[in-house]
Amino acid sequence: MLTLFARLLNALNSDSAPGQVAFAFSLSLFVGLMPFLSVFNLLILLLVLLLRVNLSAFIFGVMLFSLIGYLIDPLSASLGEAVLLAPGLQETWTSLYQNEWMRVLAFNNTVTMGGFLIALVSLLPVTYLSRVLIIQYRHRVLAYINRLKVVQVLKASKVYALYRTFAE
């Protein structure tokens, strides 16, 4: 847990693009808000591994959004049930369920459908907000910490230089 937190801080402090960290965090919405053991989550994991996104931010986001998903499961189930039982969409859901690939994704589950819809609606706002927060963190918090005398003394020490050679 501490190493994950250290890697997340390393990603926040690094020169990597804020969009990479923010997009990894927002992709974790889908895994966190939907039932964990599903084919759709495996597809999201494959997408995360194929794209250049930060894996530590993704794992941290999965833990955070899984907790949030657990708390809003009744809302997800209600939303999924409302969408799946909508009279105008019955033929659509029936035809999709006839397809083997769509049946494997288990969107006929109310929690899966509700979690997917919440994650889909939240994807762009979470990406934008986390990107802005990462940029603000780098400009304000990190700059303040780097100005502290203790940090400057630690960075000037030989121990820190030795640590940096092994960390890279």
Side-chain angles (χ1 to χ4, degrees), residues 99-111:
N99 185 341
E100 292 85 16
W101 291 106
M102 293 305 290
R103 194 177 314 143
V104 167
L105 293 177
F107 280 113
N108 60 327
N109 183 336
T110 57
V111 176

Side-chain angles (χ1 to χ4, degrees), residues 91-104:
E91 291 180 28
T92 304
W93 301 134
T94 303
S95 65
L96 286 176
Y97 194 71
Q98 299 302 318
N99 185 341
E100 292 85 16
W101 291 106
M102 293 305 290
R103 194 177 314 143
V104 167

Side-chain angles (χ1 to χ4, degrees), residues 2 5 13 15 26 40 65 70 74 90 104 115 120 151 153 162:
L2 288 177
F5 185 68
N13 298 337
D15 291 333
S26 59
F40 189 79
F65 290 123
Y70 178 74
Q90 288 297 316
V104 167
L120 191 63
V151 173
V153 169
L162 183 65

